[in-house]
Amino acid sequence: LDMLWSKGPVCMEVLKQADCRMTLFTGSQPVAELLTKELRGKVKLEDAGFDWKILGPDVHDIDYVAWQCDQDAYAYSGQKCSAQSILFVHENWKKAGIVEKISEKACARNLEEMTLGPVITWTNDRIKSHIDGLLAIPGAEVVCGGKPLEGHTIPSCYGAFEATAVFVPLAEMMKPENYKLATTELFGPFQVITEYNDSSLDQVLEACERMESHLTAAIVSQDINFQQKVLGNTVNGTTYAGVRARTTGAPQNHWFGPAGDPRSAGIHTPEAIKLVWSTHREIIYDCGRADASWTAPKAT
């Protein structure tokens, strides 16, 4: 069987009845957890991620960084497991105008140039409900977007939404009643933006640690001490560091997968192929004939 084109439940029933030795799954976390249970743990996962990017204290190449942030968050209308879901902006970057530059690029996206498109798994009502929930957090505000697209023929069962960012104050985001909502992955053209300073970096690191899926991340900084502090306190499977750091666009020559879970699988790379499409096995040959003078030793 080379390909099975079906709905999810049908595919899962085939996997169960065939008693597959290993299944590689890429997709949403709820389905990943269901497959783990139904296939008795015989799965490897390259599942969804609420992926973060941290802009460090040193400001460089602001136009390039704004472009990369726009691409990470909104290319393919944000429908990629490595999309930038939250942006932690150091106050130095905020003062330099990075948020305004990102907003300008986001507002230029449109259907005509195909820089925006249908959102397959979130309807407009669901997107708006999520945004409204965030805006109920004290101090939250829309940075850009926030409205459904107009003048199109996209069916209502799909989403069609402007590239959107919502600012949420870090202190409010970290409150137990707000954190889960603020770190919910909206699989579409959407991101959360928050601001921090040198004294609140530990809060940022705590926020990254508390996230449920650790797929990709980016540390935009040339400061090696800052890089090492963040890298040493986070666990994302694929983390980019440096002024050109991104969350998405992994080339085919390195690991791309989540971390911190024994079910983790990466795509690309010989290592990922060995983990998923092969298994550990040993065959020991011992073919030498016993000598004609051999006698049995005393039993042990």
Side-chain angles (χ1 to χ4, degrees):
L1 179 65
D2 294 319
M3 178 179 289
L4 172 62
W5 184 269
S6 71
K7 292 184 179 294
V10 175
C11 184
M12 186 170 71
E13 191 61 30
V14 171
L15 293 172
K16 288 169 63 177
Q17 292 194 26
D19 195 24
C20 292
R21 293 185 175 93
M22 178 60 70
T23 297
L24 170 61
F25 174 75
T26 178
S28 70
Q29 284 183 293
V31 174
E33 296 300 332
L34 177 63
L35 284 172
T36 300
K37 178 181 178 181
E38 295 294 335
L39 300 180
R40 306 191 307 283
K42 295 188 291 184
V43 295
K44 288 291 185 180
L45 308 176
E46 194 271 294
D47 60 344
F50 188 84
D51 305 309
W52 51 261
K53 179 183 286 182
I54 299 173
L55 305 185
D58 49 318
V59 179
H60 307 277
D61 303 339
I62 190 168
D63 289 326
Y64 179 90
V65 172
W67 170 82
Q68 187 65 69
C69 287
D70 174 75
Q71 285 292 108
D72 284 348
Y74 303 125
Y76 298 103
S77 293
Q79 294 170 101
K80 48 193 176 179
C81 55
S82 58
Q84 176 180 302
S85 302
I86 188 168
L87 181 64
F88 295 95
V89 179
H90 191 278
E91 62 180 358
N92 294 344
W93 282 92
K94 182 78 173 346
K95 292 173 184 175
I98 187 69
V99 174
E100 290 78 10
K101 287 181 177 289
I102 293 171
S103 177
E104 180 182 354
K105 292 185 177 298
C107 291
R109 290 181 171 269
N110 57 75
L111 289 171
E112 290 73 21
E113 297 176 309
M114 293 188 289
T115 50
L116 285 176
V119 180
I120 305 302
T121 56
W122 283 65
T123 64
N124 282 349
D125 287 343
R126 188 181 175 197
I127 294 172
K128 187 177 184 304
S129 176
H130 182 70
I131 293 172
D132 289 344
L134 290 172
L135 293 177
I137 297 173
E141 61 181 357
V142 173
V143 173
C144 59
K147 298 177 182 178
L149 296 174
E150 298 179 349
H152 61 79
T153 58
I154 297 172
S156 60
C157 60
Y158 304 115
F161 225 83
E162 295 175 342
T164 300
V166 172
F167 177 85
V168 179
L170 179 62
E172 292 293 334
M173 185 186 83
M174 295 301 293
K175 292 181 178 179
E177 63 268 29
N178 298 330
Y179 182 81
K180 185 174 180 59
L181 177 64
T183 56
T184 294
E185 183 184 21
L186 195 168
F187 207 62
F190 178 83
Q191 65 174 323
V192 169
I193 296 178
T194 191
E195 182 182 357
Y196 76 102
N197 55 32
D198 293 344
S199 63
S200 57
L201 176 59
D202 286 343
Q203 276 190 295
V204 172
L205 297 177
E206 180 189 348
C208 295
E209 173 62 26
R210 285 167 58 184
M211 293 173 193
E212 293 182 356
S213 186
H214 302 282
L215 184 54
T216 69
I219 305 163
V220 181
S221 175
Q222 298 291 77
D223 183 337
I224 189 64
N225 292 318
F226 182 84
Q227 289 180 12
Q228 291 301 311
K229 180 175 177 62
V230 177
L231 288 168
N233 287 277
T234 55
V235 298
N236 292 56
T238 303
T239 305
Y240 300 84
V243 71
R244 298 179 65 178
R246 58 198 187 275
T247 64
T248 194
Q252 293 184 350
N253 61 352
H254 72 229
W255 175 268
F256 181 71
D261 189 323
R263 300 169 298 172
S264 296
I267 55 177
H268 316 318
T269 74
E271 181 183 7
I273 293 170
K274 285 187 288 186
L275 278 173
V276 177
W277 304 117
S278 184
T279 186
H280 184 91
R281 184 188 182 204
E282 295 185 18
I283 298 174
I284 297 91
Y285 288 100
D286 194 358
C287 303
R289 300 292 299 276
D291 189 85
S293 60
W294 181 88
T295 58
K298 184 177 180 181
T300 58

